[in-house]
Amino acid sequence: MKSMEQELQCPVCKDIVKQPIVLPCLHSVCLMCASEVLVQSGYPQPELPPEPNSPASTPNMRSPRQMRRPLPKSDRVDRLLRSGSGTYPGRRRKEGPPTVMLFPCAPCGRDVELGERGLAECMRNLTLERIVERYRHTVSLGSVAVMCQFCKPPQALEATKGCSDCRASFCNECFKLYHPWGTPRAQHEHVQPTLNFRPKVLTCPEHDQERLQFYCKSCQMLLCSLCKLRRVHAGHKIAPITQAYQSLKDKITKELNYILSNQDMVLTQITQLESAVTQTEVNSVSAKEQLSHCVKEIMALLTERQTMLAQALESSRQRRAEALANQVAEKRSLLEHAGLMAFTQELLKENDPSSFVHAARLTHNRLAQSIESMQRFSLSADPSFRHFQLDVSRELKLLTDLNFIQAPLAPVIDTQRTLAYDQLFLCWRLPQDSTPAWHFSVEFRRRGVVPGGGARGGIHGGLAAARWGWQRLEEVTGTCAVIDRLEMDSVYVLRVRGCNKAGFGEYSEEVYLHTPPAPVLNFYLDSRWGLHADRLVVSKEQRCARSVPGLSLLQAADRALTSCHLTADLLVGDVAITQGRHYWACSVEPGSYLVKVGVGLESKLQEWFHLPQDMASPRYDPDSGHDSGAEDSSDSPPPFSFLTMGMGKIYLPSSPNSHHGNANYRESGFTNGNGPSSPNGVTYPLPPRLGICLDFEKGRVTFYDAHSLRPLWEGPVDCSAPVCPAFCFIGGGALQLQELVANRNANQTPVRRVTIQSRVTKLN
């Protein structure tokens, strides 16, 4: 029981709580301590009742006179709490809003808002009072006795019963005397003898004498029958207090039983912690030794470098001193009484011309050199040694910044470059103030999804996510990674962390990527069917196309003023689809005039685009704007299905052949956009990338916002023959096919003509 004492301590006075109240943060504190803290915080001094006596607090209270002393009533504490700590009973109407009291809760480490009535908002913790009383009775068993308050001295007897209604303790005789049989007093509740009687039940702090009979799950607070009718609890989940009691008691019982049944696990964890403490001490000593060794190596290297630089300096000094000494000797030889001057004077005394010329030539050269040296005098060595100064600013900064190696900071994932297509391509970078990373660890896991493509929520989603553990790509060099072998139509959660000599750093924020609903189809653009090849420009990689308004379009502009006709150019993929489900994505330049993206029968596309080259301008076209061929036949599916884009907008038609297309784009959130609506469809801003999914067996084509994979529109298409991806240009525009993640670093273009067909079906 001694170990339980820390659970019964007041966080303010560090003693066993007395008259505890429950703060809004659910921590309990002594009423006296709470009032003192509020006074220290600048709030008015509340009027508190005298502290009630208890057997443990007054161990020597056995005198009948002391026992007959009137005891403080516990209901005074309740009245004090209801009156707002005795500061003021109310306020006038013209007064401003009351000051909200803030209580600095030590366990929380923050200020807890008590409300405008202060401690009146806090109810007594009767359960904690009972636990404290049982604890004190256990630790001081046999040392304190509660005396009967109605025996006449000096024959006072020890109390054996207590009455919670009378709030007094009785011996057996006095109890029978004051609770005669057949009277209402005989129905009083019997308790153990005590000097600190508590109310039977908690009452509402705002509505006097109203029992707390309900529990608001939304607000997590007890309510009386009057509080339940308040507007603030309208629509909240309110349960009877008995139901909340049983539910919370069952949860606590299960948690307690789980902990008690896993005591071996707790002991194992304690052993691991103790081992970690020991290992911490050992590793800290090793780290200190390593630190001392590194500093000694630096000092030894500095000493060695100092010796080497000092030797170089001394060598330079010797060379310069020798050069200057030679120059001094040379200058001294030019003085009047020096040897050269005296020898020259004796040489001039020679009168024989031939002998003089023979002997004076060397002297003449020496004198000429001396005169030239005098006229061009300079020091033979620089005495300043300015080239031998050390610049240690960088080294001093490095030594000042010398610190232990820090693990890399959490990487920042580049959401603009990260995408999910045939594979997951994840790109990230380290913050500027982060230490370098040797390599990275990329972790990913699959998250449960519902058939519509959205993530599961609630308990089922959490359980589905728990079944898929984290998978890792270890020691990834660089700042990007490719993840393959993924499941279709699934949401993947990804995160990254760096590693260096200090270990792994923090994880990056998790990102969610949605894989395509079908296998990605790789194909290239084929312009063989285009009627105006002079206006179509296809890139060398055959994944990007542009319609250039050239001379032919300028010539057509003359009759466009009268007949309002424009020309259409067609591009198709070099793939014919005859089975399965396939997905591909492309992006349309926002400044394009009109671009139609979709699929169609290979034979029908040839037939349609070999009609006259001019087609009616969509400005006057009675068609719905969705070239699905629905006007030709209402029973059979259309031979082709397109979505129209242009001038930064996309048109989502309301096709009668689509049974649930409208519901799809309504559920995707596009009905709440900024685009205008009409009975025939709606227009919305053009998404960055458009995804197309073809289900050949079902004869359905679905268009997606490829960035978020939200469905935009779904409609039928005739799949009785090979179907091709198709792109139609009306006026100037450009589009680009989504590049495969696997081909990002490929230098060679794969074989172009790819046909997907079953073993039975043969293409003509």
Side-chain angles (χ1 to χ4, degrees):
M1 294 292 291
K2 282 290 185 180
S3 60
M4 192 180 67
E5 186 171 342
Q6 60 181 356
E7 302 291 336
L8 308 178
Q9 290 181 352
C10 172
V12 178
C13 63
K14 303 301 181 182
D15 197 0
I16 296 181
V17 291
K18 302 173 184 177
Q19 296 177 295
I21 59 174
V22 181
L23 299 174
C25 60
L26 303 182
H27 289 112
S28 296
V29 64
C30 300
L31 177 61
M32 183 68 69
C33 296
S35 62
E36 292 177 357
V37 170
L38 290 178
V39 170
Q40 294 175 0
S41 301
Y43 296 103
Q45 171 69 46
E47 296 180 3
L48 298 178
E51 181 181 355
N53 296 325
S54 64
S57 60
T58 56
N60 299 323
M61 189 174 293
R62 291 180 177 269
S63 172
R65 295 182 180 273
Q66 293 178 344
M67 296 301 298
R68 295 176 61 86
R69 183 181 303 169
L71 298 177
K73 300 296 183 180
S74 299
D75 56 353
R76 294 189 60 187
V77 179
D78 300 331
R79 291 199 302 270
L80 172 67
L81 294 177
R82 294 193 189 97
S83 63
S85 301
T87 55
Y88 56 88
R91 62 177 185 273
R92 299 178 181 177
R93 293 183 179 180
K94 295 184 179 180
E95 294 181 358
T99 304
V100 177
M101 290 188 179
L102 298 177
F103 185 86
C105 181
C108 295
R110 60 182 179 88
D111 292 337
V112 179
E113 183 177 334
L114 297 181
E116 62 181 45
R117 299 192 303 142
L119 296 179
E121 302 287 346
C122 305
M123 291 184 292
R124 295 177 61 184
N125 195 339
L126 300 181
T127 302
L128 183 58
E129 287 186 14
R130 296 187 181 96
I131 295 175
V132 169
E133 185 174 348
R134 289 197 297 267
Y135 172 76
R136 284 178 167 171
H137 181 73
T138 302
V139 298
S140 59
L141 186 62
S143 60
V144 177
V146 179
M147 308 305 295
C148 177
Q149 298 175 244
F150 295 90
C151 291
K152 295 182 180 180
Q155 291 86 10
L157 300 178
E158 184 176 348
T160 58
K161 293 182 180 179
C163 180
S164 59
D165 295 278
C166 299
R167 296 179 178 271
S169 298
F170 302 86
C171 64
N172 289 332
E173 298 298 329
C174 292
F175 186 82
K176 295 177 182 179
L177 179 64
Y178 284 93
H179 297 80
W181 182 260
T183 62
R185 287 193 176 185
Q187 306 299 325
H188 288 184
E189 181 182 0
H190 305 167
V191 295
Q192 292 293 331
T194 181
L195 297 177
N196 185 17
F197 288 95
R198 296 168 299 276
K200 293 182 179 180
V201 294
L202 286 174
T203 57
C204 181
E206 298 186 13
H207 305 100
D208 196 8
Q209 302 303 325
E210 288 290 336
R211 298 181 61 181
L212 299 172
Q213 301 176 350
F214 302 96
Y215 179 73
C216 181
K217 297 181 180 180
S218 303
C219 301
Q220 296 185 356
M221 62 182 301
L222 298 173
L223 304 176
C224 67
S225 57
L226 298 179
C227 294
K228 179 184 176 183
L229 302 178
R230 284 187 171 182
R231 183 181 302 176
V232 68
H233 298 289
H236 289 187
K237 295 181 179 179
I238 299 178
I241 192 65
T242 54
Q243 179 181 347
Y245 160 78
Q246 191 62 39
S247 175
L248 185 58
K249 192 171 185 178
D250 292 343
K251 291 180 181 178
I252 293 178
T253 303
K254 289 181 180 179
E255 294 166 353
L256 178 62
N257 293 335
Y258 177 82
I259 295 177
L260 294 178
S261 61
N262 290 274
Q263 293 295 297
D264 295 339
M265 181 188 302
V266 177
L267 294 176
T268 302
Q269 294 175 354
I270 292 176
T271 303
Q272 293 178 357
L273 291 173
E274 292 176 349
S275 176
V277 171
T278 305
Q279 197 67 24
T280 300
E281 297 296 330
V282 174
N283 292 340
S284 65
V285 173
S286 176
K288 289 180 181 179
E289 294 177 354
Q290 184 180 6
L291 173 63
S292 176
H293 177 70
C294 292
V295 173
K296 288 181 179 179
E297 285 187 347
I298 294 176
M299 295 178 65
L301 181 61
L302 288 176
T303 303
E304 181 182 355
R305 192 66 178 173
Q306 179 186 7
T307 302
M308 185 185 68
L309 294 176
Q311 291 177 355
L313 180 62
E314 178 64 21
S315 176
S316 177
R317 184 198 65 79
Q318 292 178 358
R319 291 195 302 270
R320 295 186 184 191
E322 183 179 355
L324 291 174
N326 294 335
Q327 192 175 17
V328 169
E330 181 183 355
K331 297 303 179 183
R332 289 184 182 277
S333 66
L334 299 180
L335 294 179
E336 181 179 1
H337 300 289
L340 179 61
M341 294 297 99
F343 176 78
T344 304
Q345 291 176 357
E346 294 297 328
L347 179 64
L348 292 176
K349 295 178 180 180
E350 177 65 39
N351 294 326
D352 184 14
S354 58
S355 299
F356 178 80
V357 171
H358 178 72
R361 285 181 301 175
L362 179 61
T363 303
H364 169 68
N365 293 336
R366 292 179 62 188
L367 292 176
Q369 292 177 357
S370 299
I371 294 174
E372 183 179 2
S373 174
M374 291 174 59
Q375 294 176 350
R376 300 179 180 180
F377 174 74
S378 62
L379 296 177
S380 59
D382 185 6
S384 64
F385 281 84
R386 57 179 177 269
H387 298 297
F388 287 86
Q389 301 296 324
L390 290 179
D391 182 12
V392 294
S393 58
R394 183 170 60 90
E395 288 75 9
L396 289 177
K397 185 178 184 304
L398 291 176
L399 290 175
T400 304
D401 298 338
L402 185 64
N403 203 342
F404 297 106
I405 300 175
Q406 301 294 326
L409 298 179
V412 179
I413 295 181
D414 189 351
T415 56
Q416 298 298 325
R417 299 174 57 190
T418 298
L419 57 90
Y421 198 45
D422 59 319
Q423 298 171 334
L424 292 184
F425 181 73
L426 185 64
C427 186
W428 64 88
R429 59 177 176 83
L430 283 175
Q432 294 183 354
D433 53 348
S434 173
T435 55
W438 293 354
H439 55 81
F440 295 90
S441 175
V442 179
E443 299 184 2
F444 62 96
R445 64 177 175 85
R446 182 177 179 269
R447 180 182 175 184
V449 295
V450 297
R456 281 200 186 104
I459 300 177
H460 298 288
L463 295 177
R467 288 196 297 266
W468 297 90
W470 289 100
Q471 303 180 53
R472 294 179 178 85
L473 297 180
E474 300 289 355
E475 298 186 1
V476 177
T477 58
T479 57
C480 60
V482 177
I483 303 172
D484 53 3
R485 296 188 297 274
L486 306 174
E487 296 192 18
M488 297 180 298
D489 199 13
S490 302
V491 176
Y492 281 84
V493 187
L494 301 97
R495 62 185 184 183
V496 188
R497 61 174 177 172
C499 179
N500 56 14
K501 190 175 182 180
F504 283 98
E506 296 293 332
Y507 284 105
S508 65
E509 293 186 2
E510 296 180 354
V511 296
Y512 297 81
L513 295 180
H514 197 158
T515 55
V520 173
L521 178 66
N522 185 30
F523 63 91
Y524 297 87
L525 297 176
D526 190 350
S527 60
R528 292 176 298 171
W529 294 349
L531 301 180
H532 299 282
D534 57 330
R535 292 203 309 270
L536 284 176
V537 179
V538 182
S539 65
K540 181 179 179 181
E541 296 80 10
Q542 294 181 317
R543 303 192 69 89
C544 180
R546 179 179 294 275
S547 177
V548 181
L551 180 60
S552 58
L553 186 60
L554 294 177
Q555 293 173 351
D558 184 27
R559 62 176 182 273
L561 297 176
T562 57
S563 61
C564 294
H565 279 62
L566 289 177
T567 55
D569 301 316
L570 177 68
L571 280 175
V572 296
D574 60 353
V575 172
I577 303 173
T578 60
Q579 65 174 0
R581 298 177 67 242
H582 306 279
Y583 175 86
W584 62 94
C586 65
S587 58
V588 177
E589 190 176 84
S592 303
Y593 182 68
L594 282 181
V595 178
K596 294 178 180 290
V597 178
V599 296
L601 289 175
E602 186 174 8
S603 58
K604 292 294 183 180
L605 288 173
Q606 293 183 24
E607 178 183 350
W608 184 48
F609 277 91
H610 278 83
L611 291 175
Q613 298 181 2
D614 295 334
M615 60 177 293
S617 171
R619 197 177 284 117
Y620 298 94
D621 191 357
D623 190 5
S624 63
H626 171 64
D627 300 320
S628 61
E631 294 80 0
D632 300 333
S633 174
S634 59
D635 297 332
S636 61
F640 37 78
S641 183
F642 290 94
L643 274 190
T644 304
M645 289 152 282
M647 306 306 293
K649 300 288 184 180
I650 182 172
Y651 181 76
L652 305 179
S654 177
S655 174
N657 291 324
S658 176
H659 299 288
H660 53 279
N662 295 338
N664 281 343
Y665 67 76
R666 272 198 296 268
E667 293 175 359
S668 64
F670 278 79
T671 57
N672 297 325
N674 300 323
S677 61
S678 67
N680 295 329
V682 290
T683 58
Y684 289 96
L686 181 66
R689 289 183 291 128
L690 183 69
I692 302 97
C693 181
L694 175 65
D695 192 332
F696 190 87
E697 278 71 17
K698 293 183 179 180
R700 308 292 295 183
V701 60
T702 307
F703 295 88
Y704 292 88
D705 179 355
H707 183 70
S708 59
L709 276 183
R710 291 182 298 179
L712 305 181
W713 191 88
E714 181 179 349
V717 65
D718 188 2
C719 294
S720 59
V723 178
C724 293
F727 310 92
C728 177
F729 291 91
I730 303 176
L735 69 85
Q736 182 173 2
L737 297 179
Q738 177 68 41
E739 182 72 23
L740 293 181
V741 176
N743 293 342
R744 281 180 172 268
N745 298 326
N747 298 323
Q748 296 181 354
T749 304
V751 180
R752 288 193 52 220
R753 190 63 188 179
V754 178
T755 301
I756 303 175
Q757 59 180 354
S758 63
R759 297 181 180 178
V760 179
T761 305
K762 295 293 184 179
L763 290 180
N764 296 329

